[in-house]
Amino acid sequence: AQSVAQPEDQVNVAEGNPLTVKCTYSVSGNPYLFWYVQYPNRGLQFLLKYITGDNLVKGSYGFEAEFNKSQTSFHLKKPSALVSDSALYFCAVRDRRGGGADGLTFGKGTHLIIQP
Amino acid sequence: GAGVSQSPSNKVTEKGKDVELRCDPISGHTALYWYRQSLGQGLEFLIYFQGNSAPDKSGLPSDRFSAERTGGSVSTLTIQRTQQEDSAVYLCASSRTSESSYEQYFGPGTRLTVT
């Protein structure tokens, strides 16, 4: 079975500093990896994805993620954090199930808190 | 354009009652997914529809849960004889197709509270 791990429940970063939210995965075959963000009382919003190609993927709101096959990681990064980046972040992997159906398997989520 | 919509936004029901949750996917999206988000279990995949094909029910937690999708568009998730452990936020998502490369777009969710 495919799985995703987000080792940190919470990450605290001062505004203006770079941020990293960690994600590691375990899949059979080529991974299709995603990051989503959830603001309070809102649904999940797509940030970025890695399917193939360049290991550094750029997404919404200035976020990027680096795919590292040897370390089976897909860490989310941003060069300069904003207070408005404070939210719950989920890493996910596309999970091919029986019959060819695809759902997403999510990590537990990481609370990102940006301090002014 | 319009995103994924879900109704109701909040539902409080008594243990043992049946509930129906509705999802309207983005127009033109053929794939539709239901997930459940709860404190103890995180985000769990429940069920998946691709067009008018039979759904993949592999994630449904029990036979009290069922879902249908009419006309390849609107979907209803039904929970029969609700239990307190069913309390959660139920999220619906849609994507252009079921191909793995396409991202899913999520609705705001229905918060279900079983008393």
Side-chain angles (χ1 to χ4, degrees):
Chain A
Q2 316 209 99
S3 65
V4 172
Q6 293 180 244
E8 303 153 317
D9 290 336
Q10 183 169 306
V11 171
N12 295 283
V13 178
E15 185 177 26
N17 283 0
L19 68 88
T20 299
V21 182
K22 295 180 181 177
C23 172
T24 59
Y25 64 88
S26 174
V27 303
S28 55
N30 293 323
Y32 291 166
L33 296 159
F34 301 80
W35 275 100
Y36 284 83
V37 59
Q38 187 175 37
Y39 297 100
N41 301 314
R42 302 273 297 276
L44 275 74
Q45 295 180 33
F46 170 77
L47 274 181
L48 51 79
K49 65 181 178 183
Y50 172 82
I51 304 299
T52 187
D54 289 341
N55 290 341
L56 186 63
V57 179
K58 293 189 183 296
S60 306
Y61 311 121
F63 283 92
E64 58 190 27
E66 186 169 11
F67 172 68
N68 188 315
K69 187 173 183 178
S70 63
Q71 297 184 5
T72 61
S73 67
F74 189 56
H75 300 332
L76 181 71
K77 301 181 179 184
K78 188 173 182 180
S80 179
L82 300 172
V83 172
S84 58
D85 293 330
S86 298
L88 181 59
Y89 290 79
F90 289 95
C91 182
V93 61
R94 202 71 178 242
D95 194 351
R96 186 157 287 274
R97 304 169 188 273
D102 290 6
L104 286 173
T105 294
F106 287 89
K108 292 293 186 184
T110 298
H111 288 275
L112 177 63
I113 299 174
I114 309 301
Q115 295 151 335
Chain B
V4 177
S5 61
Q6 293 185 244
S7 60
S9 56
N10 282 284
K11 176 71 176 180
V12 180
T13 190
E14 292 179 352
K15 178 182 173 181
K17 301 283 189 183
D18 297 352
V19 295
E20 285 189 353
L21 312 180
R22 177 188 168 104
C23 172
D24 262 294
I26 292 173
S27 177
H29 281 194
T30 60
L32 186 148
Y33 310 79
W34 283 98
Y35 295 86
R36 178 169 70 175
Q37 185 174 22
S38 58
L39 282 175
Q41 300 297 323
L43 269 160
E44 306 169 83
F45 166 82
L46 296 178
I47 191 169
Y48 154 86
F49 294 88
Q50 170 56 39
N52 293 318
S53 303
D56 169 21
K57 305 178 182 180
S58 61
L60 293 179
S62 79
D63 58 8
R64 296 184 294 104
F65 287 72
S66 63
E68 62 179 20
R69 189 179 185 191
T70 54
S73 181
V74 172
S75 176
T76 302
L77 177 70
T78 301
I79 309 173
Q80 295 178 310
R81 305 180 303 281
T82 51
Q83 304 294 313
Q84 288 186 330
E85 62 262 28
D86 299 334
S87 295
V89 176
Y90 289 82
L91 296 169
C92 176
S94 69
S95 67
R96 288 186 201 177
T97 75
S98 63
E99 291 298 320
S100 296
S101 59
Y102 286 103
E103 59 267 28
Q104 297 175 18
Y105 292 88
F106 284 78
T110 293
R111 182 175 297 278
L112 175 65
T113 304
V114 181
T115 61

